Amino acid sequence: MDIKVPRGTQDILPSETGKWQVVEELIRETCSLYQYKEIRTPIFEHTELFTRSVGDTTDIVQKEMYTFQDRGDRSLTLRPEGTASAVRAFVEHKMFGYPDQPVKLYYMGPMFRYERQQAGRYRQFVQFGIEAIGSADPAIDAEVISLAMAVYQKAGLKKLKLVINSLGDTESRITHKKALVDHFEPHIENFCSDCQNRLQKNPLRILDCKVDRNNSLMATAPSLADYLNEESAAYFEKVKEYLSILNIPFEVDPNLVRGLDYYNHTAFEIMSAAEGFGAITTLAGGGRYNGLVEELGGPDSPGIGFAMSIERLLLAVEAENNKWADLSNLDVYLIGMGETAKKKTVELTNVFRQNNITAEMDYLDRKIKTQMKSADRLKAKFVLVIGEDEIEKESAMLKNLSNGEQQLVPWNELVEKLKNSI
Ligand code: HAM
C-alpha cells in the first residue's frame, strides 16, 4: 500500500505536538486576559455563507474552496476561514441581544483552502482568530491588534512588522471604486481574465492580482487614502492614536487591501521580518467588517477581528532561531527485575499516576541496561529499581538522575518522597 497524506496536509507527530500545545495554551491564556471567549462552530457550512461574506469574486471563493454536495443534495463547503461562521453564529443565536457588548469571541481549528502548496501555505491549516462584534469604537481595533501582537511576543518573536491601512466606509469605497474603474477600463484588455471580470464587480481586487502586479497601471492607480471621506479619515486617525497609546509601532501601507471582501475601515497584517522565514511573510491578517452582520441577516452590528495560522507562527519562531523550553516531563521511570518485582512496578506505576506523578515502565521485558537508556532518553528525573533484595525489604532504590544520588526508600514512603523532590 502506498497511500500518503493528501498534498498540502501534514501529520503533526508526537515530537512536534508539544510545541503546538504550548502555543495553544499561550493563546488560550492571552484570550482569557483580554476576555475573549471560545466559540466552536462546524467544520463545514452551507456554501452560500462564504460566497456571501468572503465574496464571490475573491480567490478563496473562486478557486480555493472544498465544496461538495451531500447526500441530500445540499451544497456544503469545508470552512476556508472562521469569520463567516462566527458572524453566522452571532446572528443565529441572537448574540446582539446579549447584555454585554461587544461580544468577544475566539476560535482555533482547521481551515481548508485548495492553494498551491509552498512553505507556510497548506491546504489544511489551523487558524486561531478573534472577533469583537458590536462596537465601532476605534479603541477596540487597537485592542484586537494588540492581542495578536501579544501572542507573537509571548511565543518569543521579536522581528515583527505591523502594517495597517484604512479601506474607508461605504461612501468612500464607492467614490474610490469609480476612480479605479475609470483608471483601468481603457486598458483592461491588457489584464488577465480574472481582472477583466473584477473590473465592474470589484475593481479593488485588481490591486491584489498576482498575475498583473507588474503592469505600470498598478503603481499609478488611485489610492484609497485619497478617497477617504472625513469620517473615515478621522476614524483611522483615532485607531493610530490608540496604537500609539498601546506602544505598538506600525507602518501605514495604502496598498494593503486584503483578500476578502467584507472589510471596511481598518485593515491590517502582521509580518515576520526574520531572515529565512520564506517568501510568504504574512503571519496574521484582519480588519473591520461593519455591514457583515447585516449581510448575514442580523441587525447593524459593526465587527473587527483577525486570524493567524499556528503553522506560520511556528515557522517564524524557527526562523528567529528561538528554542522551545524542554517539554519532557517524566518524573520517574520504574525498573523491575524478576516476576515479583514486575508486579510491584505495575502496581507502583499506577499509584504514582493516581498521585499526579508522571511515571513510565518497561513493557518489552528488556535488559536493565536498555531500560536505563530509555529512562535517560525520556529525561526521567528519577529511576526506581526493584530487585529481589528490595522486595525482601519492601523498599525500592530511588536514583536521582540529575546528581546520581541514590537511596533505599520504603514503598509506603515513595509517593511522599517523590512529591517532595520533584
Ligand atoms: P486571511 O488573511 O485569509 O484572513 O487569513 C489569515 C491568516 O491565516 C493568514 O495571515 C495566515 O496566517 C493564515 N493562512 C491563510 N491561508 C493559509 C494557508 N493556506 N496555509 C497556512 N496559513 C494560512 C482571514 O481568514 C480572515 N477571516 C481574518 C479575519 C478575522 N478578519 C476579520 N476577522
Side-chain angles (χ1 to χ4, degrees):
M1 195 170 77
D2 192 19
I3 301 178
K4 303 242 163 68
V5 288
R7 185 186 287 267
T9 69
Q10 57 176 345
D11 295 315
I12 300 164
L13 301 177
S15 54
E16 297 289 307
T17 42
K19 293 188 254 183
W20 279 78
Q21 287 163 358
V22 169
V23 171
E24 285 157 9
E25 191 54 37
L26 78 84
I27 283 173
R28 291 186 194 285
E29 273 170 24
T30 312
C31 285
S32 161
L33 278 175
Y34 282 73
Q35 289 293 290
Y36 285 74
K37 305 279 163 66
E38 188 180 11
I39 181 163
R40 301 186 186 194
T41 60
I43 300 240
F44 57 83
E45 297 268 4
H46 291 288
T47 303
E48 197 194 347
L49 175 66
F50 303 113
T51 51
R52 264 178 47 191
S53 55
V54 174
D56 52 13
T57 57
T58 58
D59 278 355
I60 295 181
V61 167
Q62 289 205 333
K63 303 178 185 164
E64 295 169 4
M65 294 208 304
Y66 284 91
T67 297
F68 58 97
Q69 302 291 122
D70 75 359
R71 286 167 195 273
D73 221 23
R74 297 168 199 91
S75 178
L76 299 172
T77 293
L78 298 185
R79 60 183 187 189
E81 60 104 53
T83 310
S85 303
V87 172
R88 178 200 47 70
F90 177 86
V91 173
E92 188 163 341
H93 302 284
K94 300 191 170 54
M95 293 186 208
F96 44 80
Y98 286 7
D100 289 310
Q101 299 285 325
V103 173
K104 306 209 298 188
L105 307 169
Y106 85 88
Y107 47 85
M108 189 154 38
M111 308 287 161
F112 306 84
R113 296 185 193 179
Y114 189 80
E115 293 199 83
R116 213 159 49 81
Q117 189 189 4
Q118 60 188 106
R121 183 163 279 161
Y122 305 90
R123 292 185 175 169
Q124 174 174 334
F125 53 98
V126 175
Q127 247 191 7
F128 152 60
I130 71 169
E131 314 293 346
I133 314 175
S135 163
D137 182 342
I140 199 130
D141 299 38
E143 176 181 285
V144 164
I145 294 173
S146 87
L147 192 157
M149 296 298 277
V151 165
Y152 289 132
Q153 279 155 0
K154 285 183 195 189
L157 295 181
K158 296 198 171 66
K159 296 177 181 157
L160 297 167
K161 191 169 94 177
L162 167 66
V163 182
I164 60 170
N165 189 23
S166 171
L167 305 177
D169 62 5
T170 315
E171 187 188 86
S172 314
R173 304 277 299 264
I174 290 171
T175 34
H176 179 241
K177 182 177 168 183
K178 193 174 167 308
L180 282 175
V181 173
D182 291 347
H183 178 77
F184 286 113
E185 198 164 28
H187 310 280
I188 196 67
E189 71 278 3
N190 302 329
F191 283 75
C192 72
S193 58
D194 280 343
C195 283
Q196 295 184 10
N197 287 331
R198 288 166 182 147
L199 182 70
Q200 294 301 336
K201 276 192 180 161
N202 193 353
L204 199 61
R205 286 260 68 76
I206 298 179
L207 300 178
D208 212 21
C209 179
K210 290 168 193 111
V211 182
D212 292 316
R213 75 175 145 216
N214 294 324
N215 188 305
S216 60
L217 283 186
M218 291 294 210
T220 54
S223 169
L224 243 166
D226 300 326
Y227 290 82
L228 293 186
N229 59 16
E230 218 173 289
E231 217 182 312
S232 303
Y235 190 90
F236 193 35
E237 282 312 307
K238 284 203 182 131
V239 173
K240 291 191 265 185
E241 207 179 315
Y242 281 119
L243 285 173
S244 302
I245 291 174
L246 298 178
N247 288 319
I248 300 175
F250 58 85
E251 272 173 37
V252 176
D253 177 358
N255 294 322
L256 177 76
V257 295
R258 309 270 306 122
L260 304 93
D261 276 355
Y262 45 63
Y263 293 116
N264 40 51
H265 289 289
T266 317
F268 65 95
E269 286 187 354
I270 299 171
M271 338 277 259
S272 166
E275 266 172 57
F277 181 55
I280 300 172
T281 52
T282 305
L283 290 174
R288 187 161 269 291
Y289 46 83
N290 302 349
L292 182 57
V293 174
E294 238 178 336
E295 172 63 35
L296 295 179
D300 179 16
S301 307
I304 178 159
F306 76 80
M308 63 171 70
S309 67
I310 313 288
E311 287 83 352
R312 286 194 197 169
L313 184 158
L314 292 171
L315 285 172
V317 171
E318 222 170 84
E320 287 199 21
N321 283 322
N322 292 342
K323 297 272 172 291
W324 295 98
D326 187 357
L327 299 171
S328 42
N329 70 339
L330 179 57
D331 294 327
V332 57
Y333 190 96
L334 293 90
I335 298 177
M337 295 180 284
E339 193 53 31
T340 323
K342 166 79 180 275
K343 286 181 186 152
K344 197 67 201 173
T345 54
V346 169
E347 183 194 327
L348 283 175
T349 301
N350 189 45
V351 171
F352 292 153
R353 290 170 179 166
Q354 284 170 337
N355 282 279
N356 292 325
I357 297 166
T358 55
E360 185 58 293
M361 59 171 281
D362 171 76
Y363 290 105
L364 295 170
D365 274 335
R366 294 173 302 175
K367 297 197 182 90
I368 298 186
K369 225 173 137 186
T370 324
Q371 292 192 43
M372 281 302 287
K373 278 191 188 151
S374 265
D376 269 339
R377 260 198 312 275
L378 295 169
K379 298 191 179 143
K381 297 188 187 93
F382 290 89
V383 166
L384 193 77
V385 183
I386 306 177
E388 272 168 32
D389 265 9
E390 284 79 13
I391 292 280
E392 230 161 74
K393 294 178 186 148
E394 301 203 341
S395 301
M397 192 57 81
L398 185 66
K399 184 173 178 184
N400 183 330
L401 288 189
S402 59
N403 58 16
E405 275 174 22
Q406 52 182 35
Q407 68 183 115
L408 198 65
V409 182
W411 291 334
N412 58 8
E413 290 172 23
L414 276 167
V415 167
E416 180 131 348
K417 176 86 195 155
L418 278 167
K419 283 205 151 169
N420 290 336
S421 328
I422 293 163

